[in-house]
Amino acid sequence: MAAAKVTIEALDPSNSSKNTFKLENTEKRDTLVAIEKRYQAKWAEDGVFKVDAPSTADYPLNSISAADLRAKYPKFFGTMAYPYMNGTLHAGHSFTMSKIEFSTGVARMQGKRALFPQGYHCTGMPIKACADKLVREVQLFGTNFEGCPEESIVGGADGKNDAPIDGDPPAPTQAQTREDVTKFSAKKSKAVAKSVRMKYQFQIMLALGIPIEEIHRFAEPQYWLSFFPPLCKRDLNNFGARIDWRRSFVTTDANPYYDAFVRWQMNRLRELEKIKYGLRETIYSPKDGQPCLDHDRSEGEGVTPQKYTGLKLKILDLAPEAAKSLADIIPKEGSLYLVAATLRPETMYGQTCCFVGPKLTYGVYRVREHDFFIITERAARNMAHQGIPGVFPTFGAFPKVADVPGRALIGSLIHAPLSLHKDGVRILPMESVLAGKGTGVVTSVPSDSPDDYATVMDLAKKAEYYGIKKEWAELDIIPIIKTPTYGDLAAPSLVKQLKINSPKDTKLLADAKALAYKEGYYQGVMLVGEFAGKKVSEAKDQVHKMLERNGDAFEYWEPENSVVSRSGDDCVVAKMLQWYLTYGGDDKEWRDQTVDWVNTGLKTYASETENGFLKVLDWLNKWACARSFGLGSKLPFDPNFLVESLSDSTVYMAYYTVAHLLHKDIYGKQPGQLGIKPEQMTDEVWDYIFARRQFEDEKLKSTGIEKTALEAMRREFEYWYPLDVNISGKDLINNHLTFFLYIHIALFPPEYWPRGVRANGHLLLNGEKMSKSTGNFLTLDDTIKKYGADASRIALADAGDTVEDANFEESVANSNILRLYTLKEWCEDVLKDNNRLRTGPADSFWDRLFLNELNGLTQEAVRHYEGTMYKLALKASLYDFTSARDFYREATTAAGVGMHHQLVTRYIELQALVLAPIAPHWAEHIWLEVLKKPSTIQNELFPKVEPASVELTAAREYVRSTSSNITSAEAAQQKKKDKGKTVSFDPRKPKKLTIFAAAKFPSWQEKYIDLVRQAFDATHLHVNEKELNPKVAKMGEMKKAMPFVQGLKKRLIGGEDPTAVFDRKLPFDELETLSQMAAGLMKTTGCQVVDIIAVDEGGKTGKRVLSGSAEGEVVESLPQPAEGAVPGNPTFHFENIDA
């Protein structure tokens, strides 16, 4: 147990979240959590989230069309990409899930039947790879890994003891995404203080929180399928998710009903010729002996094969050092080639030399009896799996006969096919050549490659330093392509234009390369060779084919970036006979249909998502849909293979519609309410359910399924489909989400094609990337235990709604524990003590302002909910709602009238309803326990309210801004006085506040009103600023005029009556509003007197409207601030008075 003990000590449970927020007092949280648990249990007991289509008993199947039924009974059906069951849900899953969860809550409150089902994805390699690791480790170390020695996992400062068994790293689990969790520091002993390497799978399982005594059970893949789904369900229930759990299932043949569904899908796709069998290039793991598809990778998801022209550069005269080392290895009759990988075969006419990395070591490989290639081992490994004619005849074998350092090859003379330098070119050094890209051999075309031009110029300048002859780098640079922007020598032109001085100017060279390639490919014309006069875009493939025909080149493939399999293997590109889906150019009609649907029929919520789909549809090509290893359903027409994980997860949304009718448990062991057996679910039955065919009565009988049962299943599908929205992380646009569109379009009639896809960004935690190794990581379970469900939900809603990365701030979750608790207490207390509340007519100025603001905020919250902008909906439904309540409470207290019982009750009711989608537990408590409503808020609709009054809204904003300006001015005077500066009055002594309100607008504004009137489009509530602004500027009063013009625009666009705006009438009575404010201002400023003066034009005289005395008195010689008053923007003046 030594190694296990050391690992457990290193894996202090608090480490993964050690840098997250720490809660000091949990009493209020615990109170809220108790409420949450009570209602979660009640919702489950009452089956609140179980939802069905209208029955065929009420509406026989063919008595009403599916579209009419959906119109009669509106529905919402949304899903998230089902999570993979090799770990528990983390905060990133939670963020995606929250979007569909909030959408479901909103749909319910819109009066729709809202379905949110949840399945469990188990297909693919990860579980099997992890299980196989554990089998090996149990064999080596025992059931509880007691035989694993401590020294095998503890590495000292010298880095020894870091190699895993058999050289294989542990298969990653979900805990190992985008971070290195293989290193931990323990603190408990001298030995443990050394670096603890996570070499073994049992250690990874310990990191997931699995007890050491239970880990051996995970050596059986099926155990994963029984262990993690219940934890997923637990966490989602604790979150309060509105999920219909009857429709859940696990994938793979562990569920025979789902297995039949996948077989139907694959059979129909093959019949439609969307699945074919043939040679194709695929990312391949030699170690696993099968293709390595996206979900099989620990690194390189989304990476695809990249095609090169492999150019054979025959060595004519080998440099002395290399010749000596290879003299006894290469036979006299043998031919020795360097092989370069190029993406631009059309430029080979301009070769002047060839580059190798002087510090790299190359292999010499026998490709056939007398032919040898000098390339990197990585390139040889790729070539050996591609069946290239005349190259490595045995699949996977690449016999190496020698190594040769790159420096030893420098100076060798080679034949460069197509080069206009017919006597050969030399091999020269290039420090930036990489072993991990291409073959390690680079052809040099300085006429069109800025990198090559900069390098040969540098080599010629420093020939002695590089140990070469200067003339080797000074062969004539021959124009081969003419471009409209850079002439016929694009590379020298760009190097000069961008002021590139050396090969080390890598950023500038990268920019130059992009410009040269784009210009050359799309606008360039060939100047030399057989294809002179042709566009480069046309000549490129023709040059490649000609080189192949001449025996000078071949098609070579490699992954466009590094790909590492779940088993730790560096993957290659292999050409294999495979079953593949004909995505992309192989089936142009299918692709065009999908592109058209993205453009015209699919709601993507963000332009970035739509553009992402279109980009993927442009490059995505054949996709292998089968593998030989892992978990899954067998390919029905070739049972030696399994359906791969991204191909059995494209239309599972359709399965959700009938899952509850087929089986009672997620494994399909117990038949559902219709009593149908798995073997009865034939392809023809699935066709009928999914509206692809009709059945004659005789055919119906042959299925052995009752007609009523078949019709019930078809009703469920036809009602719930099409899917309204599928929500997932934006990274899945590259595969899952695009496949989801493709397969729906292939299998279903257009009426049932998906209507929406929402992609979200990744989730940061406290502004930083989530990482266990840095202690900044939370699972969904951690989050709920720490903050409770509703506070966590609020923080997720606050995190963001765009495709950009969002941010879960723990401070938001924490502060909302207090906010929800305090608001709950207030709601309970205020209605208990009715004597504190006013009764009678609720028609005071403050009553009318408050009710109007509640109506406006309710409408604003609902609008944002319907637009899926949950951060803004949260602001309106919680923060602004409570702010409105606070203002009403303070204003009525200051005015001495107090809050009205009717309005306080209405506020609590509206607050519960508009917050219910985000914080349903809190809302349910208020609804049932405080307001004493008879049934759950989960079945309530959004409240119907009167449209917000423009007049009262304007008055409310006026009150806010005027009060703020006055109190801020007083506070500023106090700060100046505290600093010893001269002030116009002493805020601490008795004082008087005089407010100046203009009776009329200044006459100079007339001309600007006319300009705005001309530029205003009343139909679209739009002001033509391009027309307006130059006219305003021409008047020469920008400083004075623009604020006034902007104010007019704001009022017009805000919906005020244009006649009132242009007649310069405020939508409210300013003097009456100031009079209502006076009592509150006396309290907040501490003034003994508040005077309000209606100022005449010019600001010199006015009339007292409200005063401690002499109301109606004409006042002359007003102070300077009075001149600045305009209607809607009063000025004010403080002065000290005698007590």
Side-chain angles (χ1 to χ4, degrees):
M1 290 289 286
K5 183 173 181 291
V6 169
T7 302
I8 292 169
E9 289 176 352
L11 290 172
D12 183 334
S14 65
N15 276 347
S16 65
S17 58
K18 65 185 176 185
N19 291 326
T20 61
F21 198 86
K22 301 295 184 291
L23 293 185
E24 301 298 332
N25 189 325
T26 64
E27 181 181 352
K28 293 178 176 61
R29 178 204 66 189
D30 296 343
T31 298
L32 294 175
V33 168
I35 291 171
E36 292 166 358
K37 295 299 182 189
R38 182 165 71 251
Y39 290 118
Q40 287 163 9
K42 181 64 174 170
W43 295 334
E45 179 186 342
D46 294 345
V48 171
F49 305 130
K50 295 177 180 178
V51 58
D52 296 301
S55 73
T56 52
D58 293 333
Y59 296 93
L61 188 63
N62 296 316
S63 66
I64 184 172
S65 72
D68 287 343
L69 188 65
R70 293 192 292 268
K72 188 176 181 68
Y73 296 100
K75 63 88 182 178
F76 169 82
F77 178 22
T79 60
M80 63 176 276
Y82 46 20
Y84 196 73
M85 289 294 102
N86 64 344
T88 55
L89 303 182
H90 55 64
H93 290 118
S94 314
F95 181 60
T96 297
M97 181 270 298
S98 71
K99 300 303 180 189
I100 188 62
E101 162 62 16
F102 297 154
S103 296
T104 304
V106 169
R108 293 178 70 97
M109 298 196 74
Q110 292 173 319
K112 298 176 181 178
R113 300 190 186 199
L115 175 59
F116 173 18
Q118 188 60 60
Y120 310 104
H121 198 201
C122 308
T123 308
M125 277 189 60
I127 289 174
K128 185 70 166 64
C130 293
D132 287 353
K133 284 285 180 183
L134 288 172
V135 169
R136 173 72 170 143
E137 290 168 21
V138 168
Q139 290 172 347
L140 283 172
F141 306 131
T143 301
N144 293 325
F145 312 98
E146 59 274 11
C148 182
E150 178 180 328
E151 57 270 20
S152 72
I153 64 162
V154 177
D158 59 1
K160 292 181 179 179
N161 298 323
D162 283 349
I165 56 171
D166 298 338
D168 298 341
T173 66
Q174 197 174 66
Q176 286 179 270
T177 55
R178 297 188 177 88
E179 59 167 305
D180 179 7
V181 296
T182 63
K183 292 184 180 179
F184 289 83
S185 289
K187 308 171 184 176
K188 301 192 177 182
S189 71
K190 184 176 179 180
V192 178
K194 299 178 182 180
S195 174
V196 176
R197 297 287 300 176
M198 302 295 285
K199 289 168 51 177
Y200 300 118
Q201 191 63 44
F202 79 83
Q203 294 175 286
I204 300 294
M205 305 307 288
L206 286 170
L208 287 174
I210 311 298
I212 188 69
E213 302 82 14
E214 193 167 347
I215 291 175
H216 69 92
R217 296 184 180 182
F218 290 86
E220 169 52 54
Q222 296 303 318
Y223 188 72
W224 298 68
L225 277 61
S226 64
F227 185 86
F228 285 112
L231 297 183
C232 177
K233 182 177 181 179
R234 174 203 68 188
D235 293 347
L236 290 172
N237 277 335
N238 289 341
F239 188 76
R242 301 171 175 91
I243 293 173
D244 184 348
W245 289 110
R246 298 173 303 159
R247 301 172 186 263
S248 298
F249 57 88
V250 297
T251 66
T252 77
D253 54 7
N255 183 322
Y257 294 94
Y258 188 77
D259 189 52
F261 168 73
V262 173
R263 292 198 307 271
W264 161 80
Q265 174 188 333
M266 305 311 286
N267 280 330
R268 292 301 177 248
L269 287 170
R270 188 186 182 201
E271 288 173 8
L272 292 167
E273 296 187 343
K274 306 301 183 188
I275 292 179
K276 293 183 178 179
Y277 188 69
L279 271 177
R280 65 176 296 276
E281 302 77 29
T282 188
I283 306 293
Y284 178 83
S285 166
K287 177 180 176 182
D288 298 332
Q290 67 173 1
C292 184
L293 306 179
D294 268 12
H295 282 184
D296 303 329
R297 303 173 187 176
S298 62
E299 179 185 325
E301 186 169 341
V303 172
T304 57
Q306 172 73 63
K307 177 184 173 183
Y308 292 87
T309 296
L311 190 69
K312 296 164 65 176
L313 307 168
K314 187 172 184 177
I315 295 179
L316 304 176
D317 184 16
L318 198 56
E321 183 181 345
K324 182 179 179 181
S325 65
L326 298 178
D328 297 330
I329 296 172
I330 307 299
K332 290 181 180 180
E333 65 276 18
S335 296
L336 192 58
Y337 300 86
L338 273 80
V339 179
T342 179
L343 294 170
R344 302 195 63 188
E346 75 282 1
T347 66
M348 294 303 96
Y349 296 99
Q351 294 176 86
T352 64
C353 64
C354 168
F355 296 127
V356 296
K359 296 178 181 177
L360 298 183
T361 297
Y362 293 82
V364 181
Y365 297 91
R366 186 190 300 274
V367 295
R368 55 182 174 181
E369 187 177 0
H370 297 302
D371 287 353
F372 300 84
F373 283 177
I374 298 178
I375 50 178
T376 59
E377 182 175 346
R378 177 179 175 275
R381 193 166 181 253
N382 270 278
M383 290 179 190
H385 291 88
Q386 293 175 17
I388 301 166
V391 177
F392 299 130
T394 303
F395 183 83
F398 45 104
K400 182 164 67 172
V401 298
D403 286 316
V404 59
R407 68 173 188 280
L409 297 168
I410 293 169
S412 299
L413 183 68
I414 60 171
H415 167 67
L418 299 187
S419 173
L420 298 177
H421 294 284
K422 301 298 184 182
D423 296 331
V425 300
R426 299 285 177 173
I427 297 176
L428 300 180
M430 189 182 205
E431 296 289 344
S432 59
V433 173
L434 302 174
K437 195 76 174 174
T439 60
V441 179
V442 180
T443 58
S444 173
V445 184
S447 59
D448 290 81
S449 168
D451 286 289
D452 296 351
Y453 179 75
T455 300
V456 295
M457 291 297 101
D458 188 58
L459 289 170
K461 284 180 189 176
K462 305 173 185 176
E464 187 176 346
Y465 171 78
Y466 288 111
I468 65 171
K469 293 181 180 180
K470 187 176 182 181
E471 59 266 27
W472 292 349
E474 290 187 326
L475 294 186
D476 291 341
I477 298 175
I478 301 169
I480 59 171
I481 294 172
K482 186 173 183 61
T483 64
T485 306
Y486 309 117
D488 56 11
L489 289 172
S493 174
L494 279 162
V495 167
K496 181 178 180 181
Q497 180 181 319
L498 297 180
K499 299 179 181 178
I500 296 170
N501 298 314
S502 121
K504 294 181 181 178
D505 293 336
T506 53
K507 173 66 171 65
L508 290 174
L509 282 168
D511 294 341
K513 178 181 179 180
L515 291 169
Y517 184 83
K518 184 177 180 181
E519 176 90 3
Y521 183 77
Y522 291 105
Q523 300 187 52
V525 175
M526 300 295 296
L527 295 176
V528 298
E530 293 83 343
F531 306 103
K534 285 199 171 187
K535 290 183 178 180
V536 168
S537 57
E538 297 173 5
K540 178 176 179 175
D541 285 343
Q542 294 178 15
V543 173
H544 172 90
K545 290 174 182 175
M546 181 182 69
L547 285 166
E548 275 199 280
R549 285 196 304 271
N550 296 342
D552 291 325
F554 53 86
E555 194 177 272
Y556 167 64
W557 297 77
E558 64 179 42
E560 59 186 353
N561 284 306
S562 173
V563 177
V564 179
S565 72
R566 296 274 182 181
S567 59
D569 191 24
D570 286 318
C571 293
V572 299
V573 170
K575 274 196 175 181
M576 303 186 67
L577 282 169
Q578 276 188 304
W579 292 104
Y580 63 89
L581 282 151
T582 60
Y583 299 140
D586 255 30
D587 193 333
K588 188 173 182 300
E589 182 182 356
W590 193 17
R591 181 179 66 185
D592 290 347
Q593 270 188 309
T594 310
V595 168
D596 183 62
W597 187 245
V598 171
N599 283 325
T600 61
L602 187 72
K603 183 177 180 179
T604 56
Y605 298 86
S607 59
E608 296 93 333
T609 302
E610 180 178 343
N611 293 335
F613 274 124
L614 295 176
K615 287 178 182 176
V616 173
L617 288 165
D618 184 55
W619 61 255
L620 180 65
N621 214 325
K622 306 171 187 175
W623 184 269
C625 59
R627 65 152 65 80
S628 56
F629 176 79
L631 302 181
S633 296
K634 290 181 179 178
L635 202 61
F637 39 83
D638 193 346
N640 293 318
F641 291 95
L642 300 169
V643 180
E644 67 94 20
S645 61
L646 281 167
S647 297
D648 84 336
S649 57
T650 54
V651 291
Y652 61 86
M653 307 82 188
Y655 188 80
Y656 281 136
T657 65
V658 296
H660 64 303
L661 300 177
L662 294 175
H663 49 82
K664 293 180 180 178
D665 64 306
I666 63 174
Y667 309 103
K669 293 178 179 178
Q670 302 176 51
Q673 65 190 65
L674 300 180
I676 298 171
K677 299 175 182 178
E679 56 270 23
Q680 292 177 291
M681 295 305 296
T682 63
D683 289 351
E684 291 74 21
V685 169
W686 290 113
D687 281 342
Y688 176 79
I689 293 169
F690 298 142
R692 289 169 50 89
R693 68 184 299 159
Q694 297 295 334
F695 271 162
E696 301 291 338
D697 286 346
E698 286 302 315
K699 186 66 176 176
L700 277 170
K701 290 179 183 177
S702 70
T703 68
I705 301 174
E706 293 291 333
K707 181 178 181 180
T708 54
L710 287 167
E711 290 180 344
M713 290 190 287
R714 182 155 177 168
R715 165 56 55 79
E716 286 285 325
F717 171 76
E718 289 185 338
Y719 177 72
W720 291 115
Y721 253 55
L723 183 71
D724 294 288
V725 66
N726 188 11
I727 299 180
S728 187
K730 61 185 177 183
D731 51 316
L732 293 189
I733 293 174
N734 284 336
N735 42 57
H736 165 67
L737 291 175
T738 300
F739 300 172
F740 152 78
L741 294 179
Y742 257 126
I743 304 301
H744 271 84
I745 286 169
L747 291 179
F748 299 114
E751 180 181 356
Y752 301 113
W753 291 356
R755 293 303 188 258
V757 171
R758 179 181 179 131
N760 52 257
H762 301 301
L763 187 70
L764 304 176
L765 179 58
N766 303 320
E768 301 289 338
K769 178 181 173 183
M770 279 199 296
S771 168
K772 277 193 171 185
S773 58
T774 62
N776 192 51
F777 187 86
L778 287 174
T779 64
L780 177 56
D781 185 47
D782 294 334
T783 307
I784 296 169
K785 284 178 178 174
K786 197 170 188 178
Y787 300 110
D790 282 345
S792 300
R793 293 168 69 106
I794 287 172
L796 286 166
D798 187 74
D801 293 301
T802 70
V803 295
E804 301 302 319
D805 288 351
N807 183 31
F808 183 95
E809 282 286 354
E810 289 190 273
S811 59
V812 172
N814 186 52
S815 64
N816 275 288
I817 292 174
L818 177 61
R819 179 176 280 107
L820 291 175
Y821 180 85
T822 304
L823 187 54
K824 176 189 80 72
E825 293 285 293
W826 183 86
C827 292
E828 291 170 346
D829 293 344
V830 75
L831 291 187
K832 280 179 185 175
D833 189 0
N834 287 336
N835 295 330
R836 292 162 47 193
L837 301 176
R838 178 165 43 94
T839 57
D843 57 3
S844 75
F845 174 74
W846 302 110
D847 292 341
R848 288 184 289 116
L849 281 192
F850 183 46
L851 180 58
N852 184 72
E853 185 169 17
L854 291 181
N855 289 343
L857 288 174
T858 298
Q859 292 172 320
E860 183 181 344
V862 172
R863 184 174 70 253
H864 289 315
Y865 275 131
E866 291 176 342
T868 70
M869 303 304 290
Y870 302 113
K871 186 180 179 78
L872 293 174
L874 173 68
K875 178 179 180 296
S877 65
L878 179 57
Y879 304 140
D880 292 347
F881 241 77
T882 53
S883 176
R885 181 223 38 194
D886 293 344
F887 186 87
Y888 175 61
R889 180 173 56 186
E890 292 160 10
T892 53
T893 300
V897 297
M899 297 185 293
H900 196 284
H901 181 275
Q902 178 183 330
L903 290 183
V904 167
T905 303
R906 181 60 171 162
Y907 158 75
I908 294 173
E909 181 178 77
L910 291 175
Q911 176 71 93
L913 287 166
V914 295
L915 196 54
I918 293 175
H921 309 87
W922 184 92
E924 184 79 303
H925 174 78
I926 298 300
W927 193 252
L928 296 177
E929 302 299 327
V930 178
L931 295 171
K932 307 300 181 184
K933 300 290 185 178
S935 60
T936 176
I937 200 170
Q938 296 280 11
N939 293 332
E940 294 297 320
L941 303 181
F942 280 127
K944 301 293 185 185
V945 296
E946 292 293 325
S949 158
V950 171
E951 294 78 12
L952 289 172
T953 300
R956 178 68 178 82
E957 291 307 310
Y958 177 88
V959 170
R960 262 204 183 105
S961 60
T962 302
S963 300
S964 176
N965 291 340
I966 291 171
T967 54
S968 296
E970 184 195 25
Q973 288 292 310
Q974 185 61 56
K975 283 184 180 179
K976 286 176 68 176
K977 187 173 187 307
D978 291 343
K979 293 179 180 179
K981 296 181 180 179
T982 303
V983 293
S984 58
F985 73 99
D986 187 342
R988 290 197 175 96
K989 292 182 179 179
K991 56 187 181 287
K992 169 185 173 182
L993 168 65
T994 304
I995 302 174
F996 305 105
K1000 293 182 180 179
F1001 284 94
S1003 57
W1004 63 265
Q1005 295 177 351
E1006 284 286 354
K1007 54 183 176 287
Y1008 296 105
I1009 286 176
D1010 289 338
L1011 293 178
V1012 175
R1013 184 185 283 114
Q1014 294 167 17
F1016 177 60
D1017 177 355
T1019 304
H1020 301 98
L1021 296 181
H1022 172 71
V1023 176
N1024 187 339
E1025 296 193 24
K1026 288 185 179 179
E1027 174 189 321
L1028 175 64
N1029 291 347
K1031 293 179 179 179
V1032 173
K1034 196 173 181 181
M1035 297 286 190
E1037 301 175 305
M1038 286 289 284
K1039 189 171 182 180
K1040 178 169 70 172
M1042 280 312 290
F1044 171 67
V1045 169
Q1046 294 294 342
L1048 290 177
K1049 285 162 51 181
K1050 182 177 180 181
R1051 292 174 64 189
L1052 289 166
I1053 294 170
E1056 283 191 40
D1057 180 5
T1059 302
V1061 175
F1062 291 133
D1063 287 348
R1064 290 188 293 178
K1065 293 178 181 177
L1066 293 177
F1068 60 94
D1069 186 329
E1070 182 174 15
L1071 295 175
E1072 172 61 23
T1073 300
L1074 286 170
S1075 298
Q1076 295 287 347
M1077 293 172 61
L1081 288 171
M1082 287 182 69
K1083 183 173 182 180
T1084 55
T1085 61
C1087 288
Q1088 278 69 31
V1089 178
V1090 173
D1091 272 7
I1092 298 172
I1093 296 179
V1095 180
D1096 299 327
E1097 186 167 358
K1100 301 298 184 184
T1101 61
K1103 182 185 291 185
R1104 294 187 193 279
V1105 176
L1106 179 72
S1107 175
S1109 61
E1111 288 185 23
E1113 174 189 355
V1114 174
V1115 184
E1116 299 183 351
S1117 302
L1118 292 174
Q1120 188 272 333
E1123 297 181 21
V1126 294
N1129 288 291
T1131 55
F1132 49 89
H1133 173 71
F1134 283 103
E1135 60 185 301
N1136 290 118
I1137 58 175
D1138 294 333

